[in-house]
Amino acid sequence: MKTERLELSAECYEDSISRAAELLESGGIVAIPTETVYGLAASAYCEKAVEKIFTAKGRPQDNPLIVHISDLDMIADITDGFDDKARKCAEAFWPGPFTMVLKRGEKIPKSVSAGLDTVAVRMPSDKVARDIIKSSGLPLAAPSANTSGSPSPTTPYHVLNDLDGKIDAVIMGEECQVGLESTVVTLCTEPPRLLRPGGVTVEELLKILPDLVVDTAVLSEPKADAEVASPGMKYKHYAPKTETVLVSGSVDKFSSFVNNKKDSLAVCFHEDLDYLSVKYLSYGSIKNPETLAHNLFSVLREVDSLKVKTVYIHAPDKKGVGLAVYNRLIRAAGFKIIELH
Ligand code: AMP
Ligand code: MG
């Protein structure tokens, strides 16, 4: 299959949006930018198209997809009920990097939700994503547009690296602003539960959902046979091929630890740079976890090209967006964590 590159310069913007919509309406799969990461989109109403997503990504069949909408009036066709709590969340966090799990409506095929009777829904804020949804008139099922297990894509080049020849088209948009997948909260449990941290933080969620609980899978490795609330959390994810270890501790402790390791790479903060005598890639500032989120997946994709034996990643604090960064890093490291205290 030839993957079309749809450019977004001012002269071809409208044509590219229409072409993407046309491909989606006819059951194709198209990678689109969103403010979180690039998504691999298909009509959420078309079972055959949804199947193509699982095949192109090599995604396990039990890992459900998020359905993307551009307007609240699309919700009635997707979910079975939209109560006050859901409405409050929508008012506070949509459009934006926030996904709600609700009861699945009849029009959404079971395969979108991997057989569950719930469905995850998000309204993205990215203009290109919204224009494509509006132009097609369809809710779009879209997981991250990467090969399953590899770091999520935050540029169209990451998408092409993984999926060129396996998908109908890719929108050649800009780098994603947030850089991490959306926050996922289920409203199908009492109390509501955070399944995956993301750009909307726990601190912000608690203002709208004061009884929110954080699922144990957010910060720990689910047991092999455990039933997990969020199926995606049980898979190794975001992992470079190089052996990856997460290291918590101060700038001093981290730098002396890594400087003593032969044939290693430090994925570190700007604040570490003056103290390191090994190869490094900086992923942002310790004081600004948004920068860490924004750069994380690009940096993880660069690690293998540096050809070292082991990469040691400096762990952020688990506060604000730092919690989401930490959640991705423990999975990238296959839960190998060293605490230097
Ligand atoms: P991705 O779009 O690749 O970032 O993955 C979406 C994630 O959302 C999945 O890995 C699931 O863990 C979670 N998710 C999607 N739908 C549901 C659902 N119905 N119930 C619980 N979690 C869900
Ligand atoms: Mg993903």
Side-chain angles (χ1 to χ4, degrees), residues 14-304:
E14 292 301 333
D15 287 348
S16 293
I17 299 292
S18 310
R19 178 65 184 147
E22 180 182 54
L23 285 166
L24 291 163
E25 283 163 63
S26 58
I29 53 174
V30 179
I32 65 170
T34 82
E35 72 277 22
T36 57
V37 300
Y38 271 70
L40 180 56
S43 164
Y45 294 146
C46 177
E47 233 172 327
K48 280 225 167 85
V50 167
E51 226 170 79
K52 289 184 197 169
I53 292 180
F54 282 90
T55 307
K57 282 180 57 81
R59 185 175 177 96
Q61 292 293 333
D62 65 349
N63 195 358
L65 310 180
I66 295 172
V67 176
H68 295 71
I69 59 173
S70 56
D71 292 282
L72 215 46
D73 45 10
M74 297 172 90
I75 203 91
D77 281 339
I78 296 166
T79 64
D80 177 12
F82 195 68
D83 64 10
D84 268 2
K85 215 182 261 182
R87 206 163 289 283
K88 274 194 186 144
C89 288
E91 268 166 28
F93 305 123
W94 280 356
F98 174 75
T99 298
M100 277 186 255
V101 175
L102 297 164
K103 276 187 86 179
R104 180 166 52 85
E106 272 174 20
K107 279 182 83 174
I108 298 295
K110 267 190 170 179
S111 53
V112 168
S113 295
L116 300 171
D117 55 12
T118 55
V119 63
V121 195
R122 179 164 97 84
M123 187 193 290
S125 62
D126 184 271
K127 175 174 166 26
V128 178
R130 297 170 66 80
D131 284 350
I132 292 170
I133 301 169
K134 280 186 195 152
S135 176
S136 67
L138 292 167
L140 299 179
S144 49
N146 54 326
T147 301
S148 239
S150 73
S152 297
T154 56
T155 73
Y157 307 101
H158 296 161
V159 176
L160 287 166
N161 205 39
D162 284 14
L163 300 176
D164 197 7
K166 296 182 176 171
I167 62 178
D168 293 290
V170 56
I171 299 275
M172 301 302 287
E174 290 176 2
E175 199 179 343
C176 301
Q177 178 222 327
V178 177
L180 293 182
E181 306 85 346
S182 57
T183 302
V184 180
V185 169
T186 180
L187 297 184
C188 292
T189 57
E190 195 55 59
R193 184 171 287 266
L194 174 71
L195 301 180
R196 177 174 75 183
V200 170
T201 63
V202 171
E203 294 82 347
E204 289 166 326
L205 291 168
L206 285 171
K207 290 184 192 153
I208 308 296
L209 300 169
D211 55 345
L212 179 84
V213 295
V214 175
D215 196 86
T216 49
V218 166
L219 283 176
S220 59
E221 181 173 19
K223 300 222 165 59
D225 53 353
E227 189 154 321
V228 285
S230 181
M233 287 282 117
K234 73 182 177 206
Y235 295 107
K236 185 170 177 187
H237 248 108
Y238 324 111
K241 294 191 180 69
T242 310
E243 181 188 28
T244 303
V245 179
L246 187 62
V247 182
S248 301
S250 63
V251 168
D252 275 358
K253 291 208 164 131
F254 176 77
S255 51
S256 22
F257 174 84
V258 190
N259 288 343
N260 280 319
K261 300 279 176 192
K262 279 212 186 82
D263 198 15
S264 65
L265 168 74
V267 166
C268 62
F269 307 134
H270 296 334
E271 287 81 357
D272 294 316
L273 295 183
D274 286 346
Y275 305 92
L276 289 169
S277 57
V278 293
K279 288 186 199 171
Y280 63 81
L281 290 169
S282 168
Y283 71 120
S285 168
I286 199 169
K287 297 189 198 111
N288 187 351
E290 281 77 11
T291 59
L292 304 174
H294 181 81
N295 297 319
L296 178 68
F297 288 141
S298 279
V299 166
L300 288 181
R301 277 178 180 260
E302 250 183 279
V303 164
D304 292 331

